Amino acid sequence: MPNKNSLQELITIFSSKTHYPKSFSEQFLRQFFSLIEETLLQDNYIKIKGLGTFKMIEVGERESVDINTGKRIEISAHQRISFSPDKELSKRINAPFENFSSVVVAEKENDQPIETKSFLVQTENVEQTNNVEMSLVEVHSIYLGDDEEKNRPIQEDAVIESAPQTLISEETETDLNDNAKEQESAELEEVQNEFLETENGQDTNEMPDYTDNEELDNEKRNLLPLLMKILFVLALIVGAYFLGHSRLLDNYFCKTGTTSLETAVVSQKKTSPSLPDSLPTPAQAAKDNSVSEYEQLQAESVKYDQMPNGAYWIVGVLETHTMKRGENLTKLALQKYGSKDLCRYVIFFNKISNPDNIPYDAVIQFPKLLPKDSTLPIPAPKENN
Amino acid sequence: MNNKEFIETLADRVGLDTKDTQRFVENLMDSLATRLEDEELTISGFGTFEVKKKNERVIVHPSTGNKMLVPPKLVLTFKQSSTLKNKTKKQTAE
């Protein structure tokens, strides 16, 4: 039913906004709408900013059926007014639903009744034997079936304990993954079967063909990414364990050295495999050099300025070198001592203020270095290049 | 007829200059929208403006072939009054 007071209400709102008398507002509104009407009849088209577009559309004659009599009647050609609101106005009208946006519907959304979540609860590594024990895999399944059954989803929890698995060394990490994969897929299939059994028990009347191969395939497709995630987490944990293990070893070596940061750096260098094997180990050094010789050399260190907190004594001049084009101290230190890090001693020994900018023909003296600690490698020239 | 012409004609009829008229029309649109938020608006002799809710629906995207869920929305509709209808009828008859 048309509300006769609509225009009056609109006039009230309008005059309160413009602060003009109601009589003027009424006149303005009447003129406004009658002008739209007239223009529409005359031009068949009118566009008003903020409101929208009115158009006269010609409708051709067509046949229809009288609803009451059932006779065929002909609707003669006429004109219809079409209105399409302005963008801003329609946006304002739609403000309550503004936040909605189109969503892509996943196909077969309703065909996948089973949602399975697995949580790898705990993975433990025993340090000595590198035992990896997968102690608990919880498979949490929720069934969402037809609409009738959606109201009463069936939950099922299955807890499976797996046998502990032994790893021999770090290299067998990949083996572990393979084994775990097999193990887990076996488990998941078990869970599926178990689940399906209970399903059949409960819903035999409603869904007799539930254990179709198709359904099983669907479930497997659901489980596959899940399986991948579990394996990834497992690999991460194992990787993190070994990382932590090697760091522990490093700490062990650090304890024997001095507390300075530098020694830590050097000792890490030692444990890293990138160091050339040609470096003689401290044990060998102890055999080759007698204790007295070491002390003699150490006594020499008094003559020279010593690197503060350095891991090596400076005990003499090893070699004198004239800088050529293209050479730098890092490379030279690698050549002379077998370690790039020791170039700091060269910089210190020659009191070079800017190691990145050394003039040609500058004469550099390479200090003879003696480790303060027996665990440190003795600097030795690199054999090849 | 476009907006400019419409404002000019309206200003002529009401007896204001175009600037004021434009301002008034803007105000009118604002009050119209305010009014429409509550219920339908009938202007006798012209027609009815009404906000209708379109339900959400699933469509198939023509180019990608994806199934899309289009959210519900509110749309402003206009229905001409019977007097206006008769007027247009007369016009076509002539």
Side-chain angles (χ1 to χ4, degrees):
Chain A
M1 286 295 288
N3 184 354
K4 292 289 175 193
N5 293 324
S6 279
L7 189 62
Q8 288 306 318
E9 283 176 39
L10 186 63
I11 288 165
T12 316
I13 299 169
F14 179 62
S15 56
S16 71
K17 282 200 177 173
T18 54
H19 307 295
Y20 267 73
K22 270 191 182 180
S23 56
F24 170 80
S25 302
E26 190 174 344
Q27 198 208 340
F28 183 82
L29 284 186
R30 286 197 191 285
Q31 286 293 342
F32 180 83
F33 286 113
S34 63
L35 182 59
I36 294 176
E37 195 183 311
E38 279 170 36
T39 324
L40 206 52
L41 291 172
Q42 204 183 338
D43 292 2
N44 293 349
Y45 174 84
I46 182 164
K47 189 176 182 180
I48 298 156
K49 206 179 164 189
L51 183 65
T53 314
F54 292 96
K55 259 188 216 166
M56 285 287 243
I57 291 175
E58 301 224 352
V59 183
E61 53 183 18
R62 64 191 163 98
E63 279 196 343
S64 182
V65 178
D66 194 310
I67 311 162
N68 297 324
T69 59
K71 281 180 187 171
R72 285 178 160 268
I73 50 164
E74 191 178 86
I75 297 171
S76 56
H78 61 279
Q79 283 184 317
R80 186 172 66 84
I81 294 176
S82 102
F83 168 68
S84 52
D86 191 87
K87 244 185 188 173
E88 276 180 32
L89 184 62
S90 53
K91 201 175 169 186
R92 191 174 161 180
I93 295 291
N94 196 36
F97 290 160
E98 186 173 43
N99 293 328
F100 290 118
S101 60
S102 296
V103 186
V104 179
V105 183
E107 276 193 34
K108 289 184 182 177
E109 198 185 37
N110 297 324
D111 302 344
Q112 296 180 336
I114 295 161
E115 192 188 332
T116 313
K117 286 175 187 172
S118 292
F119 300 100
L120 184 67
V121 175
Q122 208 180 358
T123 305
E124 273 192 341
N125 298 305
V126 183
E127 206 173 358
Q128 291 288 318
T129 54
N130 288 343
N131 251 351
V132 176
E133 192 178 354
M134 200 158 52
S135 58
L136 197 63
V137 177
E138 193 178 326
V139 181
H140 183 72
S141 310
I142 297 167
Y143 174 77
L144 290 171
D146 289 350
D147 288 336
E148 318 160 358
E149 292 178 353
K150 267 182 180 168
N151 297 328
R152 46 183 193 88
I154 300 152
Q155 284 197 2
E156 191 174 41
D157 293 320
V159 180
I160 287 154
E161 283 206 27
S162 67
Q165 211 172 356
T166 311
L167 266 185
I168 293 133
S169 70
E170 197 171 339
E171 284 80 42
T172 55
E173 194 176 323
T174 47
D175 292 354
L176 162 77
N177 283 347
D178 289 346
N179 288 343
K181 199 173 186 173
E182 285 167 22
Q183 207 179 337
E184 278 191 23
S185 57
E187 280 164 25
L188 287 168
E189 266 181 25
E190 258 180 57
V191 176
Q192 277 173 26
N193 292 334
E194 204 180 300
F195 175 65
L196 284 171
E197 275 166 32
T198 47
E199 270 308 311
N200 278 339
Q202 283 164 358
D203 300 324
T204 32
N205 296 332
E206 289 168 26
M207 305 182 74
D209 294 326
Y210 190 71
T211 47
D212 267 353
N213 283 336
E214 243 177 75
E215 292 290 340
L216 266 170
D217 283 351
N218 269 339
E219 286 163 41
K220 275 178 186 168
R221 233 174 283 144
N222 270 347
L223 294 173
L224 197 69
L226 212 65
L227 206 73
M228 300 287 272
K229 278 177 202 163
I230 294 169
L231 282 174
F232 180 69
V233 171
L234 201 76
L236 266 180
I237 291 167
V238 172
Y241 164 72
F242 282 115
L243 269 178
H245 191 73
S246 62
R247 207 172 296 142
L248 271 175
L249 283 173
D250 282 348
N251 285 341
Y252 171 74
F253 280 114
C254 281
K255 268 179 216 164
T256 55
T258 55
T259 50
S260 70
L261 269 174
E262 278 170 23
T263 42
V265 171
V266 176
S267 63
Q268 270 184 0
K269 275 278 168 199
K270 186 204 178 304
T271 50
S272 71
S274 63
L275 257 183
D277 292 329
S278 60
L279 277 185
T281 58
Q284 284 171 332
K287 279 176 197 169
D288 294 339
N289 304 333
S290 63
V291 182
S292 62
E293 201 178 336
Y294 183 83
E295 278 172 351
Q296 213 178 341
L297 278 169
Q298 201 180 336
E300 289 279 307
S301 66
V302 188
K303 294 178 189 170
Y304 301 95
D305 284 345
Q306 292 302 322
M307 184 100 156
N309 295 327
Y312 291 89
W313 301 107
I314 295 173
V315 291
V317 180
L318 185 76
E319 205 181 321
T320 313
H321 182 83
T322 313
M323 292 297 281
K324 289 176 211 143
R325 184 184 272 274
E327 282 181 334
N328 62 40
L329 289 180
T330 329
K331 273 186 197 166
L332 288 171
L334 190 65
Q335 245 174 57
K336 308 284 182 205
Y337 302 120
S339 168
K340 284 189 276 188
D341 296 337
L342 297 176
C343 77
R344 285 176 303 133
Y345 288 88
V346 184
I347 295 164
F348 175 79
F349 191 66
N350 293 283
K351 301 190 169 54
I352 298 164
S353 55
N354 187 3
D356 293 330
N357 188 12
I358 302 168
Y360 315 132
D361 304 330
V363 178
I364 305 285
Q365 286 181 324
F366 285 91
K368 198 174 181 182
L369 297 176
L370 186 72
K372 289 180 182 175
D373 192 345
S374 59
T375 56
L376 294 174
I378 290 173
K382 216 176 175 186
E383 276 162 7
N384 45 352
N385 298 326
Chain B
M1 188 185 253
N2 62 23
N3 189 56
K4 198 183 164 192
E5 289 164 0
F6 175 76
I7 297 288
E8 276 167 6
T9 322
L10 187 63
D12 231 33
R13 287 198 186 186
V14 188
L16 295 165
D17 57 60
T18 46
K19 227 178 185 176
D20 282 341
T21 316
Q22 177 68 58
R23 201 163 47 82
F24 274 122
V25 171
E26 274 165 23
N27 266 314
L28 177 62
M29 291 313 134
D30 197 37
S31 35
L32 199 94
T34 319
R35 175 67 177 69
L36 279 170
E37 275 164 19
D38 303 330
E39 52 179 324
E40 63 175 55
L41 174 72
T42 309
I43 288 134
S44 49
F46 184 65
T48 309
F49 290 98
E50 194 182 349
V51 175
K52 281 185 176 166
K53 187 198 169 203
K54 302 281 177 197
N55 277 337
E56 70 269 25
R57 63 193 204 281
V58 174
I59 57 149
V60 176
H61 196 286
S63 58
T64 61
N66 285 342
K67 273 188 182 175
M68 307 277 281
L69 180 68
V70 178
K73 58 183 168 188
L74 296 172
V75 187
L76 178 62
T77 59
F78 171 72
K79 198 185 172 194
Q80 58 184 345
S81 71
S82 50
T83 34
L84 187 58
K85 208 172 188 175
N86 285 334
K87 274 183 193 173
T88 55
K89 255 187 190 174
K90 257 185 210 170
Q91 205 183 35
T92 35
E94 283 167 11

